[in-house]
């Protein structure tokens, strides 16, 4: 049996040596979180996952060390998944993953997320979506305003996957960073 020596001591989450490449990740957010840690540790950008605001209602205390939340609810709808700063610009983005091979369901993006990303653009920030078509094994970065315009013009319940091929940037996967979304940001927003 071959042993794999990873550069930082262990495999990134979601990588199983000898495993099926189609099932490498534990999900899109895990891949983004791992990439964000790598980007921060290497001084590339400062991006974090936003916490979801939760109101705790009831906690069970069988002992102090084993306290367990038994009832809670979301305070307000979350805006987007991630925000931070890169090259002096504010970044704000949403991650969505679908198994649908025909297209991206419009129902996956909520009205409050659209309003939020429109405000980000209005104030000069960079807003985008990272969309993974897990069945196609493709992940795209697409400008938020381009996707929102397409959603508003769409006559169907989903945007065809081919639209993302034409309008998004296909993200490369690697060991470090796991998902190279920052290169796509450079390509879309910082080309001179």
């Amino acid at each position: 049996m071959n042993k794999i020596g990873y550069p930082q001591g262990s495999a990134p989450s979601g990588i199983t040596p000898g495993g099926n490449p189609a099932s490498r990740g534990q999900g899109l957010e895990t891949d983004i979180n791992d990439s964000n840690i790598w980007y921060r540790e290497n001084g590339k950008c400062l991006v974090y996952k936003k916490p979801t605001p939760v109101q705790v209602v009831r906690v069970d205390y069988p002992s102090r060390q084993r306290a367990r939340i038994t009832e809670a609810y979301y305070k307000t709808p979350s805006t987007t998944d991630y925000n931070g700063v890169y090259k002096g610009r504010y970044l704000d983005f949403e991650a969505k993953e679908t198994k649908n091979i025909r297209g991206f369901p419009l129902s996956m993006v909520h009205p409050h997320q659209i309003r939020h990303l429109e405000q980000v653009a209005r104030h000069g920030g960079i807003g985008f979506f990272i969309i993974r078509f897990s069945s196609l094994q493709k992940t795209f970065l697409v400008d938020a305003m381009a996707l929102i315009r397409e959603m508003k013009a769409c006559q169907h319940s989903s945007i065809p996957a081919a639209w993302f091929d034409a309008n998004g940037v296909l993200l490369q996967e690697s060991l470090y960073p796991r998902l190279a979304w920052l290169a796509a940001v450079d390509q879309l927003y910082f080309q001179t």
Side-chain angles (χ1 to χ4, degrees), residues 89-179:
R89 297 278 304 274
Y90 175 74
L91 299 178
D92 202 302
F93 63 98
E94 177 69 13
K96 300 289 186 185
E97 186 166 8
T98 181
K99 292 180 181 177
N100 189 332
I101 60 171
R102 295 175 54 159
F104 176 71
L106 300 180
S107 62
M108 292 185 74
V109 179
H110 306 289
H112 67 275
Q113 293 173 322
I114 292 171
R115 285 190 302 274
H116 176 74
L117 286 165
E118 286 173 336
Q119 289 176 355
V120 167
R122 195 169 19 255
H123 289 284
I126 296 173
F128 55 91
F129 287 87
I130 295 180
I131 309 287
R132 175 171 284 169
F133 291 91
S134 54
S135 297
L136 300 174
Q137 298 180 22
K138 289 183 174 183
T139 305
F140 296 94
L141 187 142
V142 62
D143 178 68
M145 295 311 297
L147 182 61
I148 291 168
R149 280 191 300 274
E150 185 64 21
M151 289 176 67
K152 290 178 177 181
C154 188
Q155 301 293 316
H156 305 286
S157 61
S158 65
I159 297 172
W163 184 89
F164 291 87
D165 283 319
N167 295 281
V169 177
L170 183 64
L171 299 183
Q172 299 300 311
E173 295 184 25
S174 63
L175 188 57
Y176 296 107
R178 176 75 190 102
L179 193 61

Side-chain angles (χ1 to χ4, degrees), residues 13-151:
S13 66
I15 302 263
T16 304
N20 180 354
S23 61
R24 281 186 289 208
Q26 294 178 5
L28 177 58
E29 285 195 2
T30 299
D31 289 346
I32 293 171
N33 293 341
D34 289 347
S35 299
N36 290 348
I37 290 168
W38 188 88
Y39 285 140
R40 283 194 307 271
E41 289 176 351
N42 288 278
K44 304 291 183 188
C45 69
L46 188 62
V47 172
Y48 290 94
K49 174 120 174 68
K50 293 181 192 176
T52 304
V54 174
Q55 175 67 48
V56 175
V57 177
R58 186 173 299 132
V59 180
D60 181 20
Y61 290 101
S63 70
R64 180 123 176 102
Q65 292 80 17
R66 295 182 54 207
R68 193 178 83 199
I69 297 171
T70 57
E71 186 178 345
Y73 64 90
Y74 296 113
K75 284 184 181 181
T76 58
S78 180
T79 52
T80 53
D81 292 326
Y82 298 90
N83 68 348
V85 66
Y86 175 59
K87 293 185 178 181
R89 297 278 304 274
Y90 175 74
L91 299 178
D92 202 302
F93 63 98
E94 177 69 13
K96 300 289 186 185
E97 186 166 8
T98 181
K99 292 180 181 177
N100 189 332
I101 60 171
R102 295 175 54 159
F104 176 71
L106 300 180
S107 62
M108 292 185 74
V109 179
H110 306 289
H112 67 275
Q113 293 173 322
I114 292 171
R115 285 190 302 274
H116 176 74
L117 286 165
E118 286 173 336
Q119 289 176 355
V120 167
R122 195 169 19 255
H123 289 284
I126 296 173
F128 55 91
F129 287 87
I130 295 180
I131 309 287
R132 175 171 284 169
F133 291 91
S134 54
S135 297
L136 300 174
Q137 298 180 22
K138 289 183 174 183
T139 305
F140 296 94
L141 187 142
V142 62
D143 178 68
M145 295 311 297
L147 182 61
I148 291 168
R149 280 191 300 274
E150 185 64 21
M151 289 176 67

